[in-house]
């Protein structure tokens, strides 16, 4: 089974995608809070550096499972569904695991370069980190303006794309009756 031509459906605006990302951050905070609780409970709240590194690796995996599972299944997370945005792979009914996993890893481009630079510069103050992370996110967002279809770099490389979903039929019918 193949999907419809995503070019005909349309690409969500960059503004809409960024707003969905903010909403996603709130949802992800809850997921990761639960993951931290589970990790702390399972490890007895050990604080040695190896255990802290283990927590970071665990959070990376939990986050990856959340996104890859969502993209492979319905094609969207709850935040993406709310903003009517879907991840697709042209020619496939569902996003293959490989493409979803690559998309997740490459999406760290929003943060990883800034985190690496901040670590190299040995930053300690919140303002410094906030400025660096903001600059990194703006730079990554600008990659969409370099793409003819306005897709972010991680989607282009992963072979996926974001499409805008139409409004639900119920909402349209309800609006017509008013």
């Amino acid at each position: 089974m193949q999907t419809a031509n995503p070019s005909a459906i349309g690409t969500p605006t960059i503004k809409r995608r960024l707003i969905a990302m903010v909403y996603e951050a709130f949802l992800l905070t809850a997921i990761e809070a639960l993951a931290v609780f589970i990790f702390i409970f399972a490890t007895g709240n050990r604080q040695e550096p190896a255990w802290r590194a283990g927590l970071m690796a665990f959070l990376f995996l939990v986050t990856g499972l959340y996104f890859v599972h969502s993209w492979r299944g319905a094609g969207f997370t709850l935040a993406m569904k709310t903003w009517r945005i879907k991840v697709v792979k042209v020619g496939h009914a569902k996003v293959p695991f490989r493409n979803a996993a690559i998309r997740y890893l490459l999406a760290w481009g929003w943060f990883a370069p800034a985190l690496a630079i901040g670590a190299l510069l040995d930053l300690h103050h919140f303002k410094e980190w906030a400025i660096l992370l903001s600059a990194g996110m703006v730079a990554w967002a600008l990659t969409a303006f370099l793409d003819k279809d306005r897709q972010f770099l991680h989607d282009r490389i992963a072979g996926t794309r974001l499409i805008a979903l139409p409004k639900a039929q119920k909402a349209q019918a309800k609006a017509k009756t008013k």
Side-chain angles (χ1 to χ4, degrees), residues 41-63:
F41 182 77
T43 63
N45 198 18
R46 305 277 304 263
Q47 295 296 316
E48 294 85 15
W51 290 100
R52 285 193 302 242
L55 174 60
M56 295 299 111
F58 182 65
L59 289 174
F60 180 80
L61 289 173
V62 166
T63 304

